[in-house]
Each structure stands twice: as C-alpha cells, then as structure tokens.
Amino acid sequence: MSDMHRLHTNDLELGATDAVQRHISRTVVPPAQVSQRKLDFEHSRPRWLRECMAEATGVFFYVFPGIASVASFTINLASPEGVTAFGSLFQIGWAFAIGIAFAIITCAPTSGGHFNPAITICFAIWQGFPWKKVPHYIISQIFGAFVAGLLMMGMYWPEIQAYSAALTAKGVPLVSNGGPASILCTIPGATQTNLGYLFMTEFFVDSFIGLVIWAALDPANPFVSATTAPFVIGLAYANMVWGFAGISISTNLARDLGTRMVAAIFYGPTVFSIDNYSWISILVNVPATIFATAYYEFLMRDSIQRIGAGHAVHEEGDEGLVRHFTNRGLMEGGTTNMLQGNGSGSDEYETGKREHGYLDTNGAK
C-alpha cells in the first residue's frame, strides 16, 4: 500500500494526534512513608482551628484575585495604553469565578467550603450545620477578606498612591465610585441614589447566586458533579458581575465587610457612611440567600432521590420511610427490599412512584 493510501477515512495522521493513544504505563516513585510523628501532629491539631483557617483561606483565595483585578482596571482608567490593556468587567468576573473555584478545591475538604456568611447560615437552617460553629465561620470569613484587602493594598501601594494623588489634584473624592476606596468595597455611582433600587438589585443578584449554589450542591442534581460544582458556583458569581457590577453589587457579606474595614483604615470611616449604602452591601446578602435557598427547598428539593441515592436518611430510619410510602399508597410487592439494601426492589420502587404520579414516563419527577 502506498504512503498516500495507507489511511482510511477516519484514521488520524501521525503528529499531535499521538496524544489520543493510550499512554505507556510508567512507574511513579512512591512517596516517603508517613511517620507516626506526623500522624500524631495531625491528630493533635484543633478541629475548630483547621476549619476556621480553611474558611479564611478560602475567602482570601476568592477576594484577593478579584479585588486585584478591580485594582488593575480602576487605576488604569486614564492610562495612555487604554484601560482595556489592563482589565475589564469581563476579566474581573473571571478573576472572582476562578478564585471561587480554587477556594472550593483547596479549602472545602477541610471546612465544607462555605466562604460566605449567608451560605453558612443557610447550612445551619436547612442542612443541620451546628449553630455554635456559625459565629466562628463568619468571623473567619471576614478575616480572610480583611487580609486579602491589606495584601492587595500593599502590593499596589505605589500605583494606588499615584492614582489617589491624580484624583485629589482634580478635586475628586477618594471615597467615591471609581476612587481608590471603591477598589476594596462597593460604593454606588453618583446617579445611584435610590436605596430601594440598590436594595432590590442586590437582593435579586444574591438570590440568583444562592439558587445556583443550592442547586449545584444538591446530590440529586444529575447535571452537576463534584468536579464541576466549583466552576458552576464560580460562574454564577461571574455571571452576575458581568451583568450588574456596573450598577453596584456586593454579593457577599464577608467580601464587602472585610475589605471595607481595610478601606476605613486608609480612607476613613466615610466608607461606611457614604450615601447610607454600606448596610445594603453588607447585610442584604443574608436575607436574599435565605430566600433563594428556601425557594429551592420548598419547590425543587427532592429528598426521596437523596435518600434513594444514599445521601440522606429518614429521621426515623427505614421504618419511617416505609410508613411514608405506605401512607401514600406506594408500597407494593417487594418494594421494601430496596429499603433493606436489596437492589431487586429498586425497579418496583420506581414503578410505584411512576404509577402514583411521582415520576413521568422518562423517570423525571
């Protein structure tokens, strides 16, 4: 066969296409053995300290790249190269989104990955997260944002000083939308004086994010896996940044309060009093997220799917679940086998649900 005719229609020519071939197995050198001393040390670490530091670190991972991107965008507004050379709302959205994904990937295995006081409160309301841990988590989250703000100010200090001097020479207040204080925390624009409008904007943006988070974390949701959840949640934030950052949003109590305290250190307490806005950016996130998660819990949550997949149990055990199905006329034949760990009853379980209107013919509720 000639070289020109050695390939069939669907064959791939040699080149980068070699990457689709099965890689040659190679031996990985085993890591060092785990010493008893290391195990003893890890066991001695206070659980509360590990969780608190993980929450602080996660918020830092989320806030630091986000406000750094805001700083790059803001201080180059008058740059001769043009601001688009340094950033845009599109870039800022991605900075926050990827920061959130990295925060979840890095810190969630230790603390659960809340990174938002409103989410912590919602876990306590709906999922049984201990209320005694709530204050520790919230303080840690605010601390993480505070450290992120301090570090960003230190790294951008010469540029921010030059930018502040230029604004002062023009008579522009430093605590204003577009001023250096607005790099750290949300400050509404000159035309955004209607607090009711600002409240509703923040409320619906935060509700949108909260609903996506709760859906992404639902183990019964077939469209989100553990590996994609961090990026889905991050994109929810980015989505709202792209759409509404131009009209002032905060999205996270810890993110705003922690960095607003840093802004107060450098630019005075005016950052808390300007336009009577700060209470909206700090507090509205909590009721908005509670509303969003309540909406999901009351209208979209399918606890039967969670129990069936082994992600939850009935509070009265299998007997309580049997009683639930019996009272609704769903217990037929060998359906109880499924509840006793015998997979043979699962088909009858689904059939019973379908016959009584719990499932449509495609298996969807």
Side-chain angles (χ1 to χ4, degrees):
M1 183 180 294
S2 68
D3 288 344
M4 296 298 295
H5 297 90
R6 76 185 195 284
L7 300 178
H8 296 290
T9 303
N10 295 320
D11 288 343
L12 301 175
E13 183 56 277
L14 286 172
T17 49
D18 269 0
V20 305
Q21 300 282 6
R22 182 182 299 277
H23 285 279
I24 299 171
S25 298
R26 304 180 67 179
T27 301
V28 178
V29 176
Q33 294 179 338
V34 179
S35 66
Q36 185 60 46
R37 181 178 180 181
K38 182 176 178 63
L39 291 177
D40 291 341
F41 167 74
E42 293 178 356
H43 180 72
S44 66
R45 296 174 300 181
R47 176 74 189 188
W48 68 269
L49 180 62
R50 295 179 61 222
E51 292 175 341
C52 288
M53 291 310 298
E55 283 296 299
T57 304
V59 173
F60 176 89
F61 267 42
Y62 148 49
V63 174
F64 182 65
I67 59 176
S69 186
V70 173
S72 175
F73 174 74
T74 303
I75 63 180
N76 288 292
L77 286 170
S79 170
E81 289 88 354
V83 68
T84 53
F86 296 93
S88 64
L89 284 181
F90 188 67
Q91 174 188 306
I92 293 169
W94 276 113
F96 279 110
I98 297 174
I100 290 169
F102 288 167
I104 296 173
I105 292 168
T106 305
C107 303
T110 300
S111 67
H114 299 188
F115 313 137
N116 183 333
I119 293 297
T120 297
I121 292 170
C122 288
F123 272 118
I125 294 173
W126 306 114
Q127 301 293 338
F129 183 75
W131 279 102
K132 66 179 181 180
K133 285 187 175 183
V134 170
H136 302 154
Y137 269 52
I138 292 177
I139 292 172
S140 301
Q141 292 156 1
I142 296 171
F143 176 72
F146 180 81
V147 173
L150 281 179
L151 186 59
M152 188 280 299
M153 288 295 290
M155 296 175 71
Y156 267 98
W157 184 245
E159 291 79 10
I160 290 176
Q161 281 290 80
Y163 180 62
S164 299
L167 291 182
T168 301
K170 296 177 182 178
V172 178
L174 301 184
V175 181
S176 62
N177 186 277
S182 69
I183 294 173
L184 292 161
C185 56
T186 305
I187 296 176
T191 60
Q192 297 169 333
T193 57
N194 188 322
L195 293 182
Y197 169 84
L198 292 168
F199 176 94
M200 294 307 295
T201 299
E202 185 70 39
F203 188 92
F204 283 110
V205 163
D206 295 347
S207 296
F208 179 96
I209 295 171
L211 194 59
V212 174
I213 291 174
W214 226 237
L217 298 180
D218 187 350
N221 189 338
F223 298 103
V224 183
S225 66
T227 53
T228 59
F231 300 97
V232 170
I233 293 171
L235 283 172
Y237 278 86
N239 202 215
M240 292 296 96
V241 169
W242 296 330
F244 298 99
I247 54 175
S248 302
I249 57 172
S250 163
T251 72
N252 187 327
L253 184 160
R255 172 261 182 276
D256 190 88
L257 179 57
T259 53
R260 195 174 292 270
M261 290 191 293
V262 176
I265 293 173
F266 288 95
Y267 303 107
T270 306
V271 296
F272 281 97
S273 60
I274 185 170
D275 298 329
N276 295 317
Y277 169 76
S278 64
W279 69 271
I280 292 177
S281 62
I282 294 171
L283 297 178
V284 171
N285 177 243
V286 175
T289 307
I290 292 175
F291 166 78
T293 54
Y295 183 91
Y296 191 89
E297 291 290 337
F298 290 134
L299 297 178
M300 300 182 183
R301 176 73 76 187
D302 187 349
S303 294
I304 292 297
Q305 292 289 348
R306 293 179 65 201
I307 294 173
H311 292 289
V313 295
H314 193 282
E315 63 180 354
E316 298 178 12
D318 289 346
E319 291 184 1
L321 192 58
V322 169
R323 189 181 309 113
H324 167 79
F325 287 128
T326 301
N327 291 340
R328 283 152 184 78
L330 298 180
M331 298 303 295
E332 298 179 10
T335 311
T336 53
N337 291 339
M338 189 261 321
L339 303 176
Q340 298 168 354
N342 186 338
S344 63
S346 59
D347 291 340
E348 295 177 52
Y349 162 72
E350 293 298 325
T351 300
K353 289 177 66 180
R354 184 176 294 108
E355 289 177 352
H356 290 81
Y358 270 58
L359 295 172
D360 62 23
T361 56
N362 294 316
K365 183 176 177 181

